[in-house]
């Protein structure tokens, strides 16, 4: 790539200059603070090299919140540009980069890590395990995700961001139509993060199957664990497709192959198919854990066991199978045969059946319950009506003949924001608030939390509901501006106001984290809400010790902790401690991932020597790792006694 | 109190944009031809079903939240209630029935849209659809009338009451031809041809555009469709045939350079004499080479492009001939049909 030296750092745009300055100042502030408070070694030893699933979970969630901020800023920039016809806030090129990064960041670097973070923290606790099956791999997963995320995020200040949409459709994404390093960033950053996700999939699949505590049969697992298990299964099947597809497009762009290109009989449509063979299951990867979170919260705050537990399990399994049979509905308009479109229409509509079953089961979980309206419950309750709106418009989109009119329009944009925000984002907020005392030892302030909730949910509807009508009125997605005579001005303005309300709510939410850290009372027991049903609440202290359970709990029924409380069993009375085997921290994953980042950065700019050095480095770290004979350490009985005594104070 | 009103307030939000949009019918629900009407009917049918489902869930949710919220006496609390075969069967069967009810018209419409709309009058029944090749180029539309041997850029005229058979292809990125008032979209793809039938039943000017993102000039890849009475349409065709300049290969190759085309143009002769992009996807990049065009990093400081002038391009040294025999047969058939 013949990049001129003055084109390496993006200059000349005041918005980007502002971001560059704030990143620089923020970076200096973090480095200075860590140095001043002498926290470097603490950060490295306690966190960055940690294999503790709980710490990794928190690091995932912090990264995801950062990305929610970044992706949210992208979203606000999009909405500002579209507020009025003929806006010149962003030029078309810049707009294209912004919506492309918005999509990639929100799906791959916000929704997924947020949920994986919650799964990391909660699932091992819920199955009564001390850590995951492969703790080292878990740390490596985090670091590959983090490096992929970092690589993707620097694109807008170094070299230029991808601008072919989050779908990266060929031939638009090939060298001829997307010259420059942008699309290379997309391919390599997602590739690295994707490898991490695949490892997470394998790790948690094995963890859930093999590491359940005594008595925890599959049909006694919490719904969140069930959805996580199925999600991991989908990841294992879907992500290899993405890995291969990304590698193929990378070969096209870097090494001159003609797989998806215009020239040489390339087949651009193959990319579209491969992308969605991964892309549609991906949607369920980010929605199923959300279903699990809502199931937990609704059942907890209605004080009732989940209604029709078996039907819930059957429906998520059905959804996971169907999720691989619907990918063509993303391009009904490709000129497929009537037979193909009919088939995929029907399979897509069929997904609404198990999903509808779940909705009614949630409703009837609350039937004859005692519903308390805590903040996590409010987020979960708001999910139901909003998700139903998103769901029914999904059925409308599934009707291929009608989809020819909705496709590529704001109707579609509104539909997937309705399902992804009211499904995934609401679940992330709900789950974080619900399990916050488990992670940090204190609750988030309820009053401030409710303000954030109401402003967000109202803003969300104000932002996205009008977009259904914009779509029906012929407004295509991804246009950077429109004309006054198109007649879309009023609804766009309303939509933009809603977007800023969501931004405000996010700020209130973040303020709440600070406020609660300062002022919230600290939790004294493991069961912060007093209504806990699953094993994560059965720990002795509010924040579980690094080995989670001094003595592994025994499960006697569904909702095991509730069951224990009902039967008056106090598992903390069991003090028959034995030394606990725990895994040791490791610094190779961080180094290996950094080298992956270096190799990828070299490839982005086609500086092959950097790529080669990075790749050699990766192999060296792998060799180092394979000679690592450290297989963990034992926590002594004295240490357990000491820790447990402190917890019960 | 506020909590209880939440589902209600959501309903209010439902109504708000409806009222706002009430001033004018959305384009898609205001069809101007048989294809768009079929789709509009299907959409309205689905909206009715969907609103019913939404209403059921909202009402149920509101009732449950109000009735079973935590209060001093909780005599209605029955934690042992966690399943009901009857209820579960009901809410499994009903969605299945709804899906079946919606699937039937959907599949029927999918098949029906693969064919030209049925003519309403006996006179129209004798006419074959008007064939128009719609070629998307970054970021403009080229409409080719093979039987009339004319070509337009960024606008087209069609006669009313006669189906138009669009032959869609692209010279470069994947695009989608979409004229919401006349019907749904279909992709234009290089190296492939897709067919889209549309028809206008009302004289008027309709907005058409590329609906599928194709990069920097995507916004402006729009065109107008003029639906005329048959006689007016014929008059327009003759005007173009009599007055428009001859299309040269140099001129056409220049259109293939990515860029927004300001205004409209019309030509005598069509680009099909040199190239059918649905059969040869390489042509565009070859034309770039001939003209000396090279795509540039959008963040390059120097954005200028050199395009070679016509007299410097050794056209006839290059072999650009395409096998158009299929095309010729097509146009003969149509010419024949036209005489009947």
């Amino acid at each position: 790539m013949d990049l001129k030296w003055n084109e390496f750092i993006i200059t000349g745009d005041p918005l980007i200059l502002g971001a560059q300055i704030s990143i620089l100042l923020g970076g200096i502030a973090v480095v200075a603070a860590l140095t001043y408070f002498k926290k470097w070694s603490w950060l490295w030893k306690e966190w960055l090299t940690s294999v503790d699933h709980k710490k990794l979970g928190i690091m995932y969630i912090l990264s995801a919140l950062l990305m929610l901020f970044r992706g949210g800023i992208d979203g606000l920039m999009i909405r500002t540009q579209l507020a009025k016809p003929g806006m010149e806030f962003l030029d078309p090129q810049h707009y294209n980069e912004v919506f492309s990064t918005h999509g990639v960041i929100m799906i791959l670097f916000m929704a997924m890590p947020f949920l994986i973070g919650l799964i990391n923290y909660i699932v091992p606790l819920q199955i009564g395990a001390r850590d995951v099956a492969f703790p080292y791999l878990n740390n490596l997963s985090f670091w590959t995700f983090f490096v992929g995320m970092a690589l993707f995020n620097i694109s807008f200040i170094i070299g230029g961001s991808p601008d072919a949409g989050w779908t990266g459709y060929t031939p638009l994404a090939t060298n001829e139509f997307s010259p420059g390093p942008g699309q290379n960033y997309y391919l390599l950053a997602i590739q690295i993060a994707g490898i991490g996700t695949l490892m997470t999939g394998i790790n948690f699949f094995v963890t859930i199957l093999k590491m359940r505590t005594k008595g925890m049969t599959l049909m006694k697992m919490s719904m969140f664990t069930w959805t996580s298990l199925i999600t991991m299964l989908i990841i294992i099947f879907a992500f290899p497709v993405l890995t291969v597809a990304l590698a193929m497009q990378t070969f096209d762009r870097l090494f001159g192959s003609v797989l998806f290109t215009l020239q040489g009989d390339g087949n651009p449509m193959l990319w579209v198919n491969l992308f969605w063979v991964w892309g549609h299951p991906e949607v369920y990867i980010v929605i199923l854990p959300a279903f699990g979170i809502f199931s937990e919260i609704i059942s907890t705050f209605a004080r009732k066991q989940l209604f029709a537990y078996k039907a819930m399990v059957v429906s998520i399994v059905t959804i996971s199978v169907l999720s691989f049979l619907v990918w063509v509905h993303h391009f009904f308009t490709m000129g497929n045969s009537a037979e193909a479109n009919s088939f995929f229409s029907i399979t897509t509509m069929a997904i609404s059946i198990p999903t509808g079953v779940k909705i009614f089961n949630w409703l009837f979980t609350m039937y004859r319950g005692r519903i308390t309206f805590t903040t996590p419950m409010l987020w979960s309750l708001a999910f139901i009506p909003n998700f139903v709106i998103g769901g029914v418009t999904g059925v409308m989109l599934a009707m291929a003949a009608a989809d020819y009119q909705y496709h590529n329009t704001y109707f579609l944009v509104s539909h997937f924001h309705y399902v992804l925000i009211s499904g995934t984002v609401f679940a992330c907020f709900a789950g974080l608030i619900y399990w916050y005392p488990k992670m940090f030892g204190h609750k988030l302030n309820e009053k401030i939390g409710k303000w954030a909730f109401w402003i967000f949910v109202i803003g969300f509807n104000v932002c996205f509901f009008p977009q259904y009508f914009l779509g029906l009125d012929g407004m295509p997605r991804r246009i950077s501006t429109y004309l006054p005579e198109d007649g879309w001005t009023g609804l766009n303005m309303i939509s933009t106001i809603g977007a800023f309300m969501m931004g405000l709510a996010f700020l209130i939410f973040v303020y709440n984290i600070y406020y609660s850290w300062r002022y919230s009372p600290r939790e004294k027991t493991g069961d912060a809400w007093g209504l806990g049903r699953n094993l994560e609440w059965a720990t002795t202290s509010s924040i579980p010790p690094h080995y989670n359970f001094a003595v592994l709990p025994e499960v006697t029924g569904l909702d095991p902790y509730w069951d224990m409380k009902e039967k008056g069993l106090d598992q903390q009375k069991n003090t028959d401690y034995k030394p606990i085997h725990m895994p040791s921290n490791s610094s190779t994953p961080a180094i290996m991932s950094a080298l992956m980042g270096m190799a990828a950065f070299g490839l982005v700019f086609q500086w092959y020597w950097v790529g080669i050095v990075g790749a050699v480095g990766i192999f060296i770290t792998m060799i180092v790792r394979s000679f690592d004979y450290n297989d963990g350490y034992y926590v002594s009985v004295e240490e357990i006694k000491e820790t447990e005594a402190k917890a019960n104070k | 109190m506020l909590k209880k009103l939440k589902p209600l307030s959501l309903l209010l939000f439902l109504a708000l944009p409806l009222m706002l949009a009430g001033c004018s019918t959305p384009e898609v629900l205001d069809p101007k031809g048989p294809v768009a009407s079929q789709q509009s009917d299907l959409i309205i049918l689905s909206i009715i079903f969907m609103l019913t489902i939404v209403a059921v869930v909202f009402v149920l949710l509101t009732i449950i939240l109000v009735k079973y919220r935590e209060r001093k006496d909780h005599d209605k609390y029955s934690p042992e209630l966690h399943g009901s075969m009857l209820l579960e069967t009901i809410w499994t069967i009903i969605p299945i029935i709804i899906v079946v009810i919606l699937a039937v018209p959907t599949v029927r419409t999918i098949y029906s849209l693969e064919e030209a709309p049925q003519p309403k009058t006996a006179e129209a029944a004798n006419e074959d659809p008007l064939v128009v090749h719609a070629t998307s180029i970054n970021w403009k539309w080229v409409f080719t009338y093979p039987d009339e041997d004319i070509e337009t850029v960024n606008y087209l005229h069609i006669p009313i009451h006669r189906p138009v058979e669009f032959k869609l292809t692209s010279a470069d990125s994947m695009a989608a031809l979409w004229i919401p008032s006349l019907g749904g979209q279909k992709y234009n793809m290089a190296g492939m041809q897709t067919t889209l039938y549309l028809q206008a039943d009302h004289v008027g000017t309709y907005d058409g555009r590329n609906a599928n993102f194709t990069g920097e000039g995507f916004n402006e890849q729009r065109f107008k469709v003029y639906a005329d009475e048959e006689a007016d349409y014929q008059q327009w065709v003759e005007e173009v045939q009599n007055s428009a300049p001859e299309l040269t290969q140099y001129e056409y190759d220049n259109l293939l350079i990515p860029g927004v085309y300001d205004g409209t143009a019309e030509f005598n002769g069509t680009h099909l004499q040199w190239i059918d992009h649905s059969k040869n996807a390489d042509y565009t990049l070859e034309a770039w080479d001939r003209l000396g065009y090279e795509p540039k990093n959008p963040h390059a400081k120097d954005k200028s492009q050199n395009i070679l002038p016509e007299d410097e391009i050794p056209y006839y040294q290059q072999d650009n001939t395409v096998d158009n025999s299929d095309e010729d047969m097509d146009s003969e058939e149509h010419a024949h049909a036209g005489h009947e």
Side-chain angles (χ1 to χ4, degrees):
Chain A
M1 190 175 298
D2 52 342
L3 206 66
K4 296 196 179 56
W5 64 272
N6 64 344
E7 290 164 8
F8 182 64
I9 303 277
I10 302 293
T11 54
D13 188 307
L15 289 169
I16 292 176
L17 185 68
Q20 283 163 338
I21 292 171
S22 37
I23 289 170
L24 194 69
L25 292 179
I28 291 173
V30 169
V31 171
L34 285 170
T35 313
Y36 182 81
F37 293 108
K38 299 200 172 61
K39 289 287 188 190
W40 280 107
S41 134
W42 165 81
L43 182 69
W44 181 256
K45 285 188 185 143
E46 293 287 315
W47 289 90
L48 304 187
T49 59
S50 173
V51 294
D52 183 343
H53 70 96
K54 299 183 288 298
K55 287 184 173 166
L56 287 165
I58 288 172
M59 288 196 285
Y60 266 115
I61 292 169
L62 285 178
S63 312
L65 280 172
L66 193 67
M67 287 299 102
L68 184 56
F69 175 73
R70 157 79 211 265
I73 294 282
D74 282 346
L76 291 181
M77 284 165 76
I78 294 171
R79 282 315 322 165
T80 306
Q81 168 64 22
L82 292 177
K84 288 194 298 179
M87 284 282 274
E88 285 174 5
F89 176 64
L90 301 173
D91 61 53
Q93 174 62 31
H94 196 172
Y95 182 86
N96 296 347
E97 292 180 17
V98 169
F99 79 67
S100 302
T101 54
H102 172 76
V104 173
I105 286 176
M106 284 304 202
I107 298 275
L108 288 154
F109 299 124
M110 191 289 286
M112 290 202 57
F114 211 129
L115 294 168
I116 289 177
L118 291 170
I119 291 171
N120 245 292
Y121 201 103
I122 298 303
V123 166
L125 288 166
Q126 285 195 335
I127 60 173
R130 293 213 162 96
D131 207 320
V132 294
F134 309 111
Y136 177 91
L137 205 60
N138 204 11
N139 183 294
L140 184 59
S141 288
F142 170 75
W143 279 111
T144 49
F145 147 71
F146 190 85
V147 165
M149 173 192 93
L151 187 69
F152 192 82
N153 273 276
I154 56 163
S155 66
F156 82 105
I157 45 174
I158 301 175
S161 285
D163 57 359
W166 88 282
T167 47
Y169 274 10
T170 51
L172 178 64
T174 59
N175 279 328
E176 286 74 21
F177 302 98
S178 295
Q183 185 65 13
N184 297 347
Y185 269 117
Y186 168 97
L187 295 167
L188 291 152
I190 299 178
Q191 185 68 283
I192 294 178
I195 293 169
T197 308
L198 186 53
M199 291 189 292
T200 300
I202 296 167
N203 202 346
F204 277 84
F205 191 69
V206 176
T207 303
I208 296 172
L209 285 184
K210 299 296 287 183
M211 302 203 37
R212 280 166 288 136
T213 188
K214 204 173 167 196
M216 173 74 80
T217 57
L218 282 177
M219 292 311 276
K220 286 198 183 71
M221 295 196 315
S222 75
M223 195 44 61
F224 183 55
T225 303
W226 253 114
T227 55
S228 301
L229 177 71
I230 299 300
T231 302
M232 298 308 153
L233 191 67
I234 301 179
I235 287 177
I236 293 168
F237 279 102
F239 265 75
V241 180
L242 179 71
T243 303
V244 171
L246 288 171
M248 287 166 84
Q249 200 185 115
T250 310
F251 268 68
D252 273 5
R253 284 185 63 89
L254 298 184
F255 309 126
S257 61
V258 288
L259 297 158
F260 305 131
T261 55
L262 212 52
Q263 67 269 41
D265 283 331
N267 190 348
M269 300 313 126
L270 182 59
W271 165 266
V272 179
N273 273 278
L274 290 175
F275 183 86
W276 287 115
V277 167
W278 161 78
H280 198 85
E282 165 68 15
V283 175
Y284 291 91
I285 292 170
V286 296
I287 203 68
L288 286 183
F291 286 173
I293 294 169
F294 294 129
S295 302
E296 300 282 306
I297 294 172
I298 288 173
S299 132
T300 301
F301 294 107
R303 300 185 201 211
K304 273 186 64 200
Q305 193 184 310
L306 196 62
F307 195 86
Y309 173 89
K310 276 184 193 150
M312 289 299 235
V313 173
V314 171
S315 61
I316 50 173
V317 174
T318 315
I319 290 173
S320 75
V321 173
L322 286 173
S323 76
F324 284 92
L325 297 173
V326 297
W327 81 93
V328 170
H329 72 215
H330 294 273
F331 44 89
F332 278 141
T333 54
M334 204 188 254
N336 320 311
S337 67
E339 290 82 359
N341 275 357
S342 301
F343 174 80
F344 284 99
S345 265
I346 292 168
T347 52
T348 307
M349 283 194 265
I351 288 195
S352 68
I353 299 164
T355 315
V357 167
K358 292 183 82 72
I359 295 277
F360 283 102
N361 285 341
W362 283 314
L363 285 175
F364 274 78
T365 301
M366 294 185 288
Y367 175 74
R368 301 197 79 114
R370 290 166 59 190
I371 306 166
T372 36
F373 297 92
T374 56
T375 334
M377 185 62 163
L378 284 181
W379 284 104
S380 310
L381 293 175
F383 150 77
I384 293 175
N386 286 300
F387 191 81
V388 166
I389 295 175
V392 294
T393 50
V395 176
M396 291 170 70
L397 280 154
M399 300 163 69
D403 176 73
Y404 304 157
Q405 286 280 31
Y406 308 131
H407 187 56
N408 272 328
T409 71
Y410 266 82
F411 191 89
L412 170 70
V413 171
S414 186
H415 156 72
F416 69 69
H417 281 92
Y418 257 88
V419 283
L420 284 172
I421 294 183
S422 77
T424 309
V425 178
F426 284 16
C428 289
F429 282 131
L432 181 59
I433 301 166
Y434 178 58
W435 284 309
Y436 203 83
K438 191 77 346 211
M439 295 174 189
F440 300 101
H442 61 86
K443 284 187 195 133
L444 286 171
N445 183 286
E446 284 280 290
K447 198 172 170 193
I448 303 174
K450 281 176 187 171
W451 272 101
F453 164 78
W454 282 107
I455 297 174
F456 193 93
V457 173
I458 294 170
F460 160 68
N461 278 283
V462 172
C463 180
F464 291 104
F465 204 78
Q467 293 183 4
Y468 285 121
F469 295 88
L470 284 170
L472 289 177
D473 206 23
M475 181 169 168
R477 68 194 293 204
R478 293 172 169 175
I479 53 166
S480 63
T481 191
Y482 49 93
L483 303 172
E485 54 265 38
D486 288 325
W488 303 327
T489 313
L491 291 175
N492 267 304
M493 188 47 116
I494 294 174
S495 179
T496 302
I497 293 168
F500 277 90
M501 286 172 74
M502 291 159 79
L504 174 68
F506 177 75
L507 291 182
I508 296 174
F509 185 86
V510 172
Y511 169 74
N512 196 9
I513 291 178
Y514 165 77
Y515 180 91
S516 309
W517 170 63
R518 289 291 301 272
Y519 303 112
S520 274
R522 307 294 121 156
E523 296 299 329
K524 301 253 174 356
T525 67
D527 188 10
W529 300 97
L531 299 169
R533 306 186 76 83
N534 280 304
L535 289 181
E536 77 269 30
W537 305 108
T539 59
T540 41
S541 48
S542 181
I543 307 175
H546 63 106
Y547 51 75
N548 291 353
F549 301 97
V551 177
L552 291 179
E554 259 190 68
V555 175
T556 48
L558 199 55
D559 289 353
Y561 185 51
W562 185 265
D563 194 51
M564 285 174 200
K565 287 191 280 189
E566 294 272 286
K567 291 178 182 155
L569 301 170
D570 186 354
Q571 71 135 349
Q572 290 166 19
K573 288 211 179 102
N574 188 346
T575 51
D576 182 18
Y577 301 140
K578 293 195 178 63
I580 296 170
H581 183 225
M582 293 300 289
S584 304
N585 289 357
S586 175
S587 52
T588 41
I591 297 168
M592 192 190 293
S593 306
L595 287 163
M596 283 187 201
M598 174 185 161
F601 188 75
L603 288 181
V604 164
F605 291 94
Q606 287 173 283
W607 300 334
Y608 291 113
W609 58 273
V610 181
I612 292 166
V613 171
V616 170
I618 297 168
F619 281 109
I620 292 173
T621 50
M622 283 178 176
I623 292 164
V624 169
R625 161 66 182 164
S626 60
F627 283 101
D628 179 0
Y629 295 108
N630 183 338
D631 50 3
Y633 64 96
Y634 281 89
V635 185
S636 66
V637 172
E638 289 72 49
E639 197 189 329
I640 301 170
K641 275 184 181 153
E642 209 175 299
T643 317
E644 295 297 309
K646 253 190 275 172
N648 282 325
K649 224 178 3 186
Chain B
M1 216 60 226
L2 208 58
K3 292 159 199 159
K4 277 189 270 173
L5 293 175
K6 192 182 61 68
L8 293 178
S9 63
L10 279 168
L11 269 175
L12 206 76
F13 281 118
L14 267 170
L16 188 72
L18 271 172
M19 288 186 283
L20 284 166
C23 323
S24 64
T25 318
E27 221 169 314
V28 165
L29 301 180
D30 184 20
K32 300 293 184 196
V35 174
S37 326
Q38 285 183 62
Q39 287 166 332
S40 169
D41 292 347
L42 193 60
I43 290 170
I44 286 167
L45 174 78
S46 66
I47 288 178
I48 293 167
F49 272 96
M50 296 308 139
L51 282 179
T52 317
I53 295 169
V54 168
V56 168
V57 174
F58 278 35
V59 168
L60 207 57
L61 176 67
T62 312
I63 293 172
I64 288 175
L65 290 189
V66 172
K67 256 185 114 170
Y68 303 108
R69 70 187 193 280
E70 173 74 333
R71 43 179 122 204
K72 293 254 155 50
D73 59 325
H74 31 75
D75 47 349
K76 290 197 211 101
Y77 179 52
S78 3
E80 71 287 352
L81 184 83
H82 41 68
S84 154
M85 204 56 200
L86 176 70
L87 285 173
E88 288 169 50
T89 314
I90 291 175
W91 61 61
T92 312
I93 300 286
I94 292 180
I96 292 175
I97 295 171
I98 294 177
V99 165
V100 171
I101 293 176
L102 290 177
V104 172
T106 301
V107 170
R108 198 174 283 163
T109 317
I110 291 173
Y111 275 85
S112 138
L113 295 182
E114 294 299 308
E115 316 258 314
Q118 291 299 313
K120 285 190 188 120
T121 58
E123 182 199 355
N126 292 329
E127 274 187 37
D128 273 351
L130 170 71
V131 175
V132 179
H133 289 247
T135 307
S136 162
I137 305 174
N138 283 353
W139 294 284
K140 44 195 109 57
W141 284 99
V142 170
F143 297 103
T144 309
Y145 296 72
D147 299 342
E148 290 76 8
D149 199 32
I150 56 172
E151 193 152 295
T152 60
V153 180
N154 284 353
Y155 82 104
L156 80 159
H157 279 253
I158 54 169
I160 57 168
H161 297 310
R162 181 174 168 195
V164 183
E165 182 180 345
F166 284 102
K167 301 269 186 206
L168 309 178
T169 190
S170 167
D172 38 43
S173 314
M174 181 167 85
L177 181 100
W178 189 33
I179 309 164
S181 299
L182 302 186
Q185 63 199 281
K186 204 170 255 190
Y187 285 159
N188 297 63
M189 297 170 288
M192 279 176 238
Q193 192 175 67
T194 43
T195 306
L196 175 66
Y197 290 101
L198 295 175
Q199 179 180 322
D201 281 346
H202 302 270
V203 171
T205 308
Y206 306 115
D207 287 320
R209 75 184 307 151
N210 168 17
N212 195 64
F213 178 62
T214 48
E216 209 180 339
F218 166 59
N219 259 338
E220 305 188 47
Q221 200 180 346
R222 307 178 73 159
F223 60 93
K224 291 278 182 203
V225 185
Y226 300 92
D228 305 326
E229 295 285 356
E230 176 69 28
D232 295 337
Y233 165 74
Q234 289 301 345
Q235 197 191 339
W236 170 78
V237 170
E238 275 161 37
E239 255 174 49
V240 174
Q241 284 168 338
N242 294 335
S243 62
E246 200 69 36
L247 180 68
T248 68
Q249 193 173 5
Y250 176 75
E251 209 154 355
Y252 184 72
D253 284 1
N254 260 286
L255 284 176
L256 295 175
I257 303 298
V260 173
Y261 193 91
D262 286 323
T264 57
E266 50 277 303
F267 299 101
N268 250 312
T270 74
H271 73 270
L272 295 176
Q273 54 192 307
W274 307 292
I275 173 64
D276 180 347
H277 294 284
S278 69
K279 298 207 176 81
N280 178 2
D282 291 40
Y283 183 87
T284 306
L285 301 182
E286 290 162 10
W288 288 7
D289 276 348
R290 283 198 291 280
L291 294 170
Y293 169 83
E294 262 181 64
K296 273 195 175 170
N297 178 355
H299 293 283
K301 296 291 171 214
D302 173 20
K303 295 205 190 308
S304 61
Q305 283 289 358
N306 284 329
I307 303 296
L308 294 176
E310 191 163 11
D311 49 12
E312 284 181 27
I313 297 172
Y315 258 103
Y316 307 101
Q317 293 170 13
Q318 307 211 9
D319 184 18
N320 298 321
T321 42
V322 188
D323 178 16
N324 271 342
S325 50
D326 291 357
E327 275 316 308
D328 292 340
M329 273 172 64
D330 271 348
S331 41
E332 264 172 36
E333 263 173 37
H334 289 305
H336 180 65
H339 283 296
E340 280 179 5

